[in-house]
Coordinates of all heavy atoms in Angstrom, one line a residue:
T105 N -2.9 38.6 -41.8 CA -3.8 37.7 -42.5 C -3.9 36.4 -41.8 O -2.9 36.0 -41.2 CB -3.3 37.5 -44.0 OG1 -1.9 37.0 -43.9 CG2 -3.3 38.8 -44.7
K106 N -5.0 35.7 -42.0 CA -5.3 34.4 -41.4 C -5.6 33.4 -42.5 O -6.3 33.8 -43.4 CB -6.4 34.5 -40.4 CG -6.2 35.4 -39.3 CD -7.4 35.5 -38.3 CE -7.1 36.5 -37.2 NZ -8.2 36.6 -36.2
H107 N -5.0 32.2 -42.4 CA -5.2 31.2 -43.4 C -5.6 29.9 -42.7 O -4.9 29.6 -41.7 CB -4.1 31.1 -44.3 CG -3.6 32.2 -45.1 ND1 -4.2 32.6 -46.2 CD2 -2.8 33.2 -44.7 CE1 -3.6 33.8 -46.7 NE2 -2.8 34.1 -45.8
N108 N -6.6 29.2 -43.1 CA -7.0 28.0 -42.5 C -6.7 26.8 -43.4 O -6.7 26.8 -44.6 CB -8.5 28.0 -42.3 CG -9.0 29.0 -41.3 OD1 -8.4 29.1 -40.2 ND2 -9.9 29.9 -41.6
F109 N -6.2 25.7 -42.7 CA -5.8 24.5 -43.4 C -6.4 23.3 -42.7 O -6.5 23.2 -41.5 CB -4.3 24.4 -43.4 CG -3.6 25.5 -44.1 CD1 -3.3 26.6 -43.4 CD2 -3.4 25.5 -45.5 CE1 -2.7 27.7 -44.0 CE2 -2.8 26.6 -46.2 CZ -2.4 27.7 -45.3
S110 N -6.8 22.3 -43.6 CA -7.3 21.0 -43.0 C -6.3 20.1 -42.5 O -6.6 19.2 -41.7 CB -8.3 20.3 -44.0 OG -7.4 20.1 -45.1
T111 N -5.0 20.3 -42.8 CA -4.0 19.3 -42.4 C -2.8 20.1 -41.8 O -2.5 21.3 -42.3 CB -3.4 18.4 -43.4 OG1 -2.7 19.2 -44.5 CG2 -4.6 17.6 -44.1
L112 N -2.1 19.6 -40.9 CA -1.0 20.2 -40.3 C 0.2 20.4 -41.4 O 0.8 21.5 -41.5 CB -0.4 19.3 -39.2 CG 0.9 19.8 -38.5 CD1 0.8 21.2 -37.9 CD2 1.3 18.9 -37.4
N113 N 0.3 19.3 -42.2 CA 1.4 19.5 -43.3 C 1.2 20.6 -44.2 O 2.1 21.4 -44.6 CB 1.5 18.1 -44.1 CG 2.2 17.1 -43.2 OD1 2.9 17.4 -42.3 ND2 2.0 15.8 -43.6
A114 N -0.1 20.8 -44.6 CA -0.5 22.0 -45.5 C -0.2 23.3 -44.8 O 0.4 24.2 -45.4 CB -1.9 21.9 -45.9
A115 N -0.5 23.4 -43.5 CA -0.2 24.7 -42.8 C 1.3 24.9 -42.6 O 1.7 26.0 -42.8 CB -0.9 24.6 -41.4
L116 N 2.1 23.9 -42.4 CA 3.5 24.0 -42.2 C 4.2 24.3 -43.6 O 5.1 25.1 -43.6 CB 4.1 22.7 -41.6 CG 3.7 22.4 -40.2 CD1 4.4 21.1 -39.7 CD2 4.0 23.6 -39.2
R117 N 3.7 23.7 -44.7 CA 4.2 24.1 -46.0 C 4.0 25.6 -46.3 O 4.8 26.3 -46.8 CB 3.6 23.3 -47.1 CG 4.3 21.9 -47.3 CD 3.9 21.2 -48.6 NE 2.5 21.1 -48.8 CZ 1.7 20.1 -48.3 NH1 2.2 19.2 -47.5 NH2 0.4 20.1 -48.5
F118 N 2.8 26.0 -45.9 CA 2.4 27.4 -46.1 C 3.4 28.4 -45.4 O 3.9 29.3 -45.8 CB 1.0 27.7 -45.8 CG 0.6 29.2 -45.9 CD1 0.2 29.7 -47.2 CD2 0.5 30.0 -44.8 CE1 -0.1 31.1 -47.3 CE2 0.2 31.3 -44.9 CZ -0.1 31.8 -46.2
M119 N 3.5 28.0 -44.0 CA 4.4 28.8 -43.1 C 5.8 28.8 -43.6 O 6.5 29.8 -43.5 CB 4.4 28.3 -41.7 CG 3.1 28.5 -41.0 SD 3.1 27.8 -39.3 CE 4.0 29.1 -38.5
G120 N 6.3 27.7 -44.3 CA 7.6 27.6 -44.7 C 8.0 28.2 -46.0 O 9.1 28.3 -46.5
A121 N 6.9 28.7 -46.7 CA 7.1 29.3 -48.1 C 7.5 30.7 -47.9 O 6.7 31.5 -47.5 CB 5.8 29.1 -48.9
L122 N 8.7 31.0 -48.3 CA 9.1 32.5 -48.2 C 9.0 33.0 -49.6 O 9.9 32.7 -50.4 CB 10.6 32.6 -47.7 CG 10.8 31.9 -46.3 CD1 12.3 31.9 -46.0 CD2 10.0 32.5 -45.3

Side-chain angles (χ1 to χ4, degrees):
T105 56
K106 297 178 182 180
H107 302 273
N108 294 310
F109 299 90
S110 58
T111 67
L112 176 60
N113 285 338
L116 294 179
R117 275 195 309 275
F118 178 81
M119 289 180 79
L122 307 175

